[in-house]
Amino acid sequence: MPLGLRRKKKPKSKETSRLMEGEQADAAGSSLPDPTVPTSRLVFHTQLAHGSATGRVEDFSSIKELYAKIAGVFEISPSEILYCTLNTPKVDMGKLLGTQIGLEDFIFAHVKGIKKEVNVYKSEDSLGLTITDNGAGYAFIKRIKDGSVIDSVKTICVGDHIESINGENIVGWRHFDVAKKLKELKKEELFTLKLIEPKKAFEMEPRSKAGKSSTGKIGTGRGTLRLRSKGPATVEEMPSEAKTKAIDKVDDLLELYMGIRDIDLATTMFEAGKDKGNPDEFAVALDETLGDFAFPDEFVFDVWGVIGDAKRERL
């Protein structure tokens, strides 16, 4: 959308793995080098988070393809995978796999465990939940605010997949749709959640409140593999300090304006604006990729300002 004008939305648009043991531009328009499609063979090691042998996966371009590869290694259904973490088997939302994987990252897949049904009394307008999703149809709890309504229900934990709300199946919903549904529940009424927690190893750990994630935690080596919903994955350089700070600031703006925190969404917004020459071009790019959010103009201007500061390395 050119800002201040009506925006026109665009419509939305095996090889078997073997088991083994054990995105910058200045305001004038100069741009970063284009990412390259990987030509060498990229192999990633993986385990099931609750414990397994080590497997190897390769030749994937999207989250869904990655899940299918992991499922093939361990002879399970892709639908059993809730989400993946990088370099830790713990339910650590700061290490959640998003759209980028460091070329030396180790992938841990968290699969479905115990099902539970919980009744919650909505005593406050805000439940104190941050919701995200795995990019393949499963929404889950990313963070629980201390002292909130949900914090008082100790059977609800960070990492739990939300399967249904008041009997309505929400598998396949994006995280912002789930958050909207929860927000619209009436105050001072009881509602029911059906949840699936990730399968755990024998040792039990206290439930996590989780914390603010950071793109600086993604990747440990030479670069990252950026996954795409369409087209081939690309290899990119590790993010600069200015880019990392900018994405964190965009995430802060998302919480301020939209009431959500989503580091992957913040990254997508930064990538959409890094090679644009003015805020109108940036707004059009947002409509093309994230039109359903209907971001307010003030938010778009603020995000553009952050991107501009990153381009000039003022962060």
Side-chain angles (χ1 to χ4, degrees), residues 10-73:
K10 292 191 175 183
K12 283 188 175 180
S13 52
K14 241 176 195 175
E15 168 184 321
T16 304
S17 298
R18 178 168 53 90
L19 274 176
M20 54 177 278
E21 290 297 320
E23 231 178 248
Q24 242 176 359
D26 58 26
S30 60
S31 61
L32 292 168
D34 292 332
T36 58
V37 176
T39 55
S40 59
R41 183 180 178 187
L42 298 178
V43 179
F44 297 86
H45 293 90
T46 183
Q47 288 182 2
L48 299 180
H50 64 277
S52 73
T54 299
R56 297 191 301 183
V57 291
E58 57 183 300
D59 191 25
F60 56 88
S61 295
S62 67
I63 292 291
K64 290 184 179 180
E65 289 181 7
L66 171 60
Y67 287 4
K69 294 288 184 178
I70 295 174
V73 168

Side-chain angles (χ1 to χ4, degrees), residues 107-128:
I107 304 170
F108 289 89
H110 298 254
V111 301
K112 291 180 179 179
I114 298 172
K115 292 189 175 185
K116 49 193 177 183
E117 184 171 317
V118 185
N119 294 320
V120 182
Y121 181 72
K122 190 176 182 181
S123 57
E124 304 290 341
D125 289 323
S126 174
L127 292 171

